[in-house]
């Protein structure tokens, strides 16, 4: 799966959310609707989140340094994790608090046409942003379901934008329902209930984002398909006869570390082994271009050692679990 950063989707979401935030705050000023205030803060938080994603993408492009020899690719994961924190606190918790206050102290919505008009406009704008994110994601997800794509994507930006836009659309429907019920019944409590529902939704989305980005921050292996390609590229059937151990790690969405112990012929010279390793590295980079940091260690495969168990420390010449996939 390509690790595209989805810049087009981020920019589309940023523009839509800025316009929507302004319109929602105007609607709140004229109507006093707490749903409008919560939604305005939500859109403002989303705008800040998209700005964070753009900053993270820019910082991740910095060159490696002696202090950070593997580069700054994980900056994108860090900023995506910050997005989940902002969404939880500024978006979700604020909305829950505001809705709770409105339930305790309800008041009638004034100038109903402001919130209703803004919500309709916001649904259209968010729908445009969501469609852009879907189109970009469809180019990458292949046969994966949406839930699988969000869980397995190594680039955090598109899953973040997808979940934000999806949550925004549901939140707008909840806000419209809260405002509508408040207008029909004349009871402002419904506006508060709608606001609390928006807050709970944002908190749930933030928790999902936090869990996914935490996994990326801890370090995820390459996907099964990439691992298969790497293993096939390493073995040439002549000097390199098999992969004994292999570990992969994403240093960033578009940079993969590959470390493997490979079996070579016992009577090969050092020169032959060195040439075989260079050739294997070239084949790996051709098969999986994001494999940019590669360490291959030659060894002699031992059936006796392999039979002792899968622990690479105890059996230097034996395989490890997951050597053929992650």
């Amino acid at each position: 799966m390509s690790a595209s950063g989805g810049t087009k989707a981020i920019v589309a979401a940023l523009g839509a959310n800025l316009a929507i935030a302004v319109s929602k705050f105007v609607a709140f000023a004229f109507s006093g609707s707490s749903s409008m205030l919560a939604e305005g803060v939500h859109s403002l938080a989303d705008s800040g989140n998209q700005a964070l994603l753009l900053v993270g993408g820019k910082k991740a492009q910095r060159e490696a340094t002696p202090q950070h020899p593997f580069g700054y690719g994980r900056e994108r994961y860090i900023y995506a994790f910050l997005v989940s924190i902002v969404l939880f606190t500024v978006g979700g918790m604020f909305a829950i608090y505001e809705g709770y206050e409105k339930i305790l102290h309800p008041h009638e919505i004034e100038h109903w046409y402001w919130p209703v008009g803004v919500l309709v406009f916001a649904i259209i704008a968010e729908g445009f942003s969501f469609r852009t994110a879907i189109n970009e994601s469809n180019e990458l997800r292949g046969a994966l379901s949406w839930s699988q794509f969000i869980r397995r994507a190594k680039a955090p930006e598109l899953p973040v934008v997808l979940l934000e836009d999806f949550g925004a659309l549901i939140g707008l429907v909840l806000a419209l329902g809260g405002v509508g019920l408040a207008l029909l019944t004349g009871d402002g409590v419904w506006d508060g209930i709608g606001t609390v529902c928006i807050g709970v939704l944002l908190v749930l989305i933030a928790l999902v984002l936090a869990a996914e980005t935490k996994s990326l921050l801890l370090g995820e292996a390459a996907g099964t398909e990439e691992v298969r390609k790497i293993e096939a590229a390493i073995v040439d059937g002549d000097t390199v006869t098999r992969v004994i151990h292999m570990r992969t790690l994403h240093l960033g969405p578009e940079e993969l570390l590959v470390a493997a112990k490979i079996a070579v012929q016992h009577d090969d010279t050092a020169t032959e082994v060195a040439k075989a390793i260079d050739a294997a590295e070239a084949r790996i980079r051709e098969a999986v271009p994001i494999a940019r940091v590669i360490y291959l260690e030659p060894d002699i495969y031992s059936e006796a050692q392999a039979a002792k168990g899968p622990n690479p420390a105890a059996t230097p010449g034996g395989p490890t679990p997951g050597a053929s996939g992650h």
Side-chain angles (χ1 to χ4, degrees):
M1 183 186 298
S2 171
S4 169
T7 302
K8 182 178 178 181
I10 298 173
V11 172
L14 177 60
N17 280 315
L18 285 174
I20 292 169
V22 171
S23 65
K24 287 174 180 175
F25 283 127
V26 170
F28 164 71
F30 280 94
S31 68
S33 167
S34 67
S35 292
M36 282 293 92
L37 177 59
E39 275 294 308
V41 172
H42 173 198
S43 294
L44 197 62
D46 280 354
S47 301
N49 288 341
Q50 275 107 45
L52 283 173
L53 293 177
L54 291 173
V55 170
K58 185 68 176 178
K59 285 183 172 291
Q61 296 173 7
R62 289 180 293 172
E63 295 293 331
T65 64
Q67 188 176 7
H68 297 92
F70 292 115
Y72 293 85
R74 289 195 181 184
E75 290 266 17
R76 287 165 69 177
Y77 300 153
I78 293 171
Y79 278 83
F81 190 75
L82 290 176
V83 165
S84 66
I85 295 174
V86 171
L87 196 63
F88 181 87
T89 54
V90 180
M93 299 308 293
F94 175 82
I96 291 174
Y97 170 78
E98 182 64 23
Y100 175 74
E101 286 293 312
K102 186 61 178 287
I103 291 172
L104 290 181
H105 309 289
H107 62 80
E108 190 174 346
I109 294 177
E110 301 172 359
H111 307 294
W112 63 269
Y113 41 85
W114 276 101
V116 172
V118 165
L119 286 171
V120 172
F121 163 73
I123 289 173
I124 295 172
E126 286 288 2
F128 169 76
S129 174
F130 192 41
R131 186 185 67 176
T132 302
I134 288 174
N135 289 340
E136 284 212 44
S137 299
N138 279 334
E139 296 177 5
L140 304 177
R141 71 184 183 98
L144 295 176
S145 67
W146 286 108
S147 62
Q148 289 174 327
F149 172 73
I150 290 171
R151 290 200 311 270
R152 298 183 187 180
K154 304 305 180 184
E157 292 84 358
L158 279 174
V160 168
V161 174
L162 279 168
L163 286 174
E164 278 189 349
D165 286 350
F166 179 69
L169 284 171
I170 295 178
L172 289 167
V173 172
L174 292 172
L176 190 60
V179 170
L181 287 171
L183 292 172
L184 288 173
T185 63
D187 188 353
V189 168
W190 287 107
D191 187 29
I193 293 173
T195 307
V196 170
C197 291
I198 293 169
V200 172
L201 171 69
L202 295 180
V203 166
L204 292 175
I205 290 175
L207 292 175
V208 171
L209 285 177
E212 293 303 317
T213 51
K214 174 191 172 185
S215 178
L216 292 169
L217 277 170
L218 289 174
E220 288 190 357
T224 304
E225 182 64 19
E226 284 76 13
V227 170
R228 185 192 63 77
K229 290 179 180 179
I230 292 170
E231 289 181 333
I234 290 176
V235 178
D236 62 7
D238 183 15
T239 303
V240 182
T241 59
R242 70 169 63 207
V243 176
I244 301 174
H245 308 148
M246 188 171 78
R247 294 290 182 268
T248 60
L249 178 69
H250 269 274
L251 301 173
E254 296 167 358
E255 188 169 16
L256 186 66
L257 181 148
V258 178
K261 179 174 285 190
I262 58 175
V264 298
Q265 303 288 358
H266 70 278
D267 55 351
D268 286 335
T269 65
T271 300
E272 290 173 331
V273 171
K275 288 182 179 179
I277 289 175
D278 290 340
E281 290 179 354
R283 292 194 300 272
I284 292 171
R285 291 190 172 96
E286 182 179 359
V288 182
I290 65 171
R292 298 179 185 175
V293 182
I294 303 173
Y295 299 107
L296 300 180
E297 178 187 355
D299 200 351
I300 305 301
Y301 182 75
S302 168
E303 293 285 355
Q305 291 286 69
K308 292 181 181 180
N311 186 352
T315 58
T320 57
S324 60
H326 291 259

